[in-house]
Amino acid sequence: MSILTVKTTPFADQRPGTSGLRKKTTVFMQPNYLENFVQSVFDAIGGLSAKTIVLGGDGRYFNREAAQKILKMAAANGAAKVIVGQGGLLSTPAASCVIRKYRTDGGIVMSASHNPGGPKEDFGVKYNIANGGPAPEAVTEAIFECTRAISEYRLLDAPDIDLDALGETRLGDMSVVVIDPVADYEELMHGLFDFDAIRALFASGFTMRFDAMHAITGPYAQSILTGTLGAPEGTVVNAVPLPDFGGGHPDPNPVWARELMDLMFSDAAPDFGAASDGDGDRNMVLGRHVYVTPSDSLAVLAANAHLAPGYEDGLAGIARSMPTSAAADRVADKLGIGCYETPTGWKFFGNLLDAGKATLCGEESAGTGSNHIREKDGLWAVLLWLNILAVRREPVADILKSHWAEYGRNYYSRHDYEGIDAAAAATLMDDLRARLGSLPGTVSHGLTVVSADDFAYTDPVDGSRSEKQGIRIGFEGGARAVMRLSGTGTEGATLRVYLERFEPDPAKHDLDPQEALAAIAAAADEIAGITARTGRSEPDLMT
Ligand code: VG1
Ligand code: CO
């Protein structure tokens, strides 16, 4: 087996976004595209010589071919060992778990997360560092710099290896260890939660529907919920990961997980409903006839985490992304623990978790997680809910209501304008930025602007600075609108508008969130000129 050194030229568009590099699958499949990016990752981290990395993916179209290429490149770059999930599969949280457990130097996850998969849809690659978390900005920028200068990559000239057989094989001088993708992750969950209590909950007739959306969490949920915890067969649906996610959009929100939503609001609703995304790091949680927003879920989990063995000593702190609602802040306040506000993307939680400043983290985009790994973790959130339900034995709706009664309710919604013209979106943001100083005092739809800024973040651990992380417009009375452009899309631009209003009065906790937030949405539209500049009178998606 010989090492081939292949000449190549840079692609100009390989800057990682919010979570890795995501492109149309056809872009990734063109000659040298994947190879350039992977070689740039290796070069940016100082080479792979004698290192051990983890490799896995969410099973989407091109996963297997990409895995073979990455393995041959790792071997040619001198890696000592690659630990790979059977079939080239590992959920994002499981990859983080494995990187940490075996103290490896990092890992590569092949996924475009919640973006659809298939030959006409999206593929992606992200690199995680030795703490198991997404590469921080300094590393992703270094990778980008390497992609701009690359002139060759290294590849072992060898036949494909069998990724379906568990155990150790060799690829040139490198060892390849194929592992069960579920086992290490399940063991970690076992240590955090009271599995006996959850088993007793299911044994008492508690019912649940978990929609794996034909994505990676299927095998994990089957093994843990139906296997270990004794949930009835049929609890997990769409459990077989498919290369195109069954033609669906593996994003667990009320729109893309419509089937689950409909069931949970019907007479046949089980006690608890949940779903997860393409790579298993997001979660959606529902009770009978009630949808729990991710922001509320983070707050409820924080207030009740002590009911699970892994968190019985309390939390060190809570961190949330800036656009996430302040519901969790109220819990942190009451618990007297630290509360951190970070830019969007899980990579910003890594330092807070490593430094022991935060125990729970969350994002409004259906991401929740803790210091057990360094990624958000869909099934973990579901298991923590189950542990809490097993102890409290109350319906989800009652838990939510009593939470709001105690802390007040943060009405919250995100409006997405998808696939808009990238230049128009950039101009909208630039123009708004230029007007920030003059916005206070403006009255729109009965709301007076009292503050306007562009969120910037200084990491409290390493002092690194991230600018332009979202425009915040604060209104009199505490309501706010936040606007930012998505960093995960692959077509045009997506404008995200995040709306929030706090309501302390329990007599006013039963409003439809869209109604409760209508004036703020109208004001955001007017102030930023969304309809005027994008030609869209309505968002494509409201979550
Ligand atoms: C989105 C979400 C963000 C999340 C990111 C990756 O980013 O808003 O909260 O961390 O996706 O999640 P953006 O830049 O499109 O708003 V995942 O599950 O797609 O890895
Ligand atoms: Co994801």
Side-chain angles (χ1 to χ4, degrees):
M1 277 182 261
S2 60
I3 291 174
L4 306 177
T5 301
V6 183
K7 296 280 169 223
T8 185
T9 51
F11 292 92
D13 63 347
Q14 295 197 321
R15 177 180 244 141
T18 312
S19 176
L21 183 69
R22 297 186 193 183
K23 297 288 171 195
K24 288 285 164 210
T25 310
T26 46
V27 172
F28 262 108
M29 289 174 76
Q30 64 184 303
N32 299 347
Y33 195 90
L34 171 75
E35 293 87 340
N36 272 20
F37 187 71
V38 170
Q39 184 66 52
S40 298
V41 169
F42 296 162
D43 292 345
I45 60 170
L48 266 202
S49 182
K51 289 183 180 171
T52 295
I53 61 165
V54 172
L55 176 65
D58 63 14
R60 69 181 60 220
Y61 187 82
F62 192 50
N63 189 119
R64 274 180 181 269
E65 294 87 332
Q68 296 289 353
K69 280 193 184 166
I70 294 170
L71 285 168
K72 289 172 196 172
M73 288 184 67
N77 277 274
K81 189 199 279 189
V82 177
I83 301 174
V84 53
Q86 191 176 27
L89 302 180
L90 275 178
S91 73
T92 287
S96 186
C97 160
V98 172
I99 291 170
R100 293 170 68 77
K101 180 171 175 182
Y102 298 104
R103 300 180 187 281
T104 67
D105 296 289
I108 289 179
V109 181
M110 299 167 286
S111 170
S113 190
H114 61 284
N115 299 22
K120 296 201 169 105
E121 299 295 349
D122 295 351
F123 190 78
V125 174
K126 52 185 175 174
Y127 176 69
N128 283 24
I129 58 175
N131 75 352
E137 276 192 329
V139 177
T140 57
E141 280 305 297
I143 295 170
F144 179 55
E145 285 311 317
C146 289
T147 68
R148 305 206 314 167
I150 191 165
S151 60
E152 57 185 42
Y153 62 83
R154 284 180 290 289
L155 182 79
L156 193 71
D157 184 18
D160 284 359
I161 70 157
D162 181 0
L163 286 178
D164 294 312
L166 293 175
E168 184 161 4
T169 48
R170 293 200 80 78
L171 195 53
D173 293 334
M174 184 180 86
S175 144
V176 178
V177 182
V178 179
I179 59 164
D180 174 345
V182 177
D184 294 306
Y185 177 83
E186 177 159 351
E187 183 190 279
L188 181 62
M189 294 302 112
H190 201 157
L192 294 172
F193 302 116
D194 186 344
F195 274 19
D196 289 338
I198 301 174
R199 217 176 277 122
L201 178 72
F202 281 120
S204 73
F206 177 88
T207 52
M208 174 179 181
R209 165 77 59 94
F210 185 100
D211 190 341
M213 302 187 84
H214 288 302
I216 190 69
T217 317
Y220 295 83
Q222 277 287 26
S223 173
I224 298 176
L225 297 175
T226 321
T228 306
L229 295 172
E233 278 303 327
T235 297
V236 182
V237 299
N238 300 324
V240 178
L242 297 175
D244 66 347
F245 307 115
H249 201 129
D251 192 354
N253 65 40
V255 176
W256 296 115
R258 184 82 246 166
E259 217 180 298
L260 179 65
M261 274 302 269
D262 288 346
L263 173 73
M264 295 307 296
F265 283 87
S266 75
D267 291 342
D271 297 307
F272 189 52
S276 58
D277 74 332
D279 62 333
D281 56 359
R282 296 187 180 199
N283 73 93
M284 176 165 86
V285 163
L286 303 118
R288 181 178 285 142
H289 302 174
V290 62
Y291 163 67
V292 185
T293 68
S295 293
D296 279 339
S297 179
L298 174 64
V300 171
L301 293 180
N304 293 279
H306 61 277
L307 300 176
Y311 307 93
E312 65 190 1
D313 295 335
L315 310 175
I318 307 171
R320 63 164 174 84
S321 68
M322 180 275 285
T324 303
S325 97
D329 304 25
R330 297 174 199 289
V331 177
D333 234 29
K334 192 152 193 169
L335 293 174
I337 58 175
C339 185
Y340 301 87
E341 189 178 40
T342 61
T344 296
W346 210 262
K347 55 179 170 250
F348 294 102
F349 293 131
N351 279 344
L352 296 170
L353 292 164
D354 283 351
K357 289 179 181 294
T359 309
L360 293 199
C361 303
E363 292 195 282
E364 55 66 41
S365 53
T368 342
S370 89
N371 60 352
H372 68 291
I373 52 170
R374 295 294 179 272
E375 287 276 8
K376 53 191 189 274
D377 189 344
L379 193 51
W380 166 90
V382 172
L383 290 167
L384 181 50
W385 264 99
L386 282 171
N387 197 143
I388 292 165
L389 292 166
V391 175
R392 291 187 55 167
R393 299 279 177 144
E394 291 167 66
V396 173
D398 292 5
I399 290 179
L400 202 56
K401 263 202 172 319
S402 59
H403 184 91
W404 291 335
E406 185 174 351
Y407 296 94
R409 177 172 184 183
N410 287 70
Y411 279 106
Y412 189 84
S413 181
R414 188 180 89 196
H415 292 186
D416 288 339
Y417 297 81
E418 294 176 343
I420 56 179
D421 179 67
T427 312
L428 182 153
M429 293 298 284
D430 287 345
D431 287 359
L432 189 56
R433 237 174 232 125
R435 287 188 290 128
L436 288 177
S438 62
L439 284 182
T442 306
V443 180
S444 177
H445 294 266
L447 295 168
T448 306
V449 176
V450 293
S451 64
D453 70 355
D454 196 352
F455 181 59
Y457 178 69
T458 305
D459 186 295
V461 179
D462 67 13
S464 59
R465 179 103 178 137
S466 304
E467 316 261 356
K468 294 191 173 177
Q469 296 296 324
I471 293 176
R472 306 188 281 194
I473 300 174
F475 299 99
E476 205 167 28
R480 71 166 187 169
V482 172
M483 280 171 245
R484 58 179 284 280
L485 298 181
S486 158
T488 57
T490 58
E491 261 170 272
T494 293
L495 172 68
R496 304 203 195 280
V497 184
Y498 310 82
L499 310 162
E500 179 177 1
R501 175 166 84 75
F502 180 60
E503 178 54 69
D505 182 358
K508 296 179 185 158
H509 284 171
D510 288 323
L511 300 180
D512 169 1
Q514 298 307 332
E515 276 169 37
L517 299 165
I520 305 163
D525 181 14
E526 184 174 71
I527 291 167
I530 299 172
T531 302
R533 287 157 179 271
T534 65
R536 306 280 178 86
S537 55
E538 300 252 305
D540 298 278
L541 195 72
M542 297 190 229
T543 58

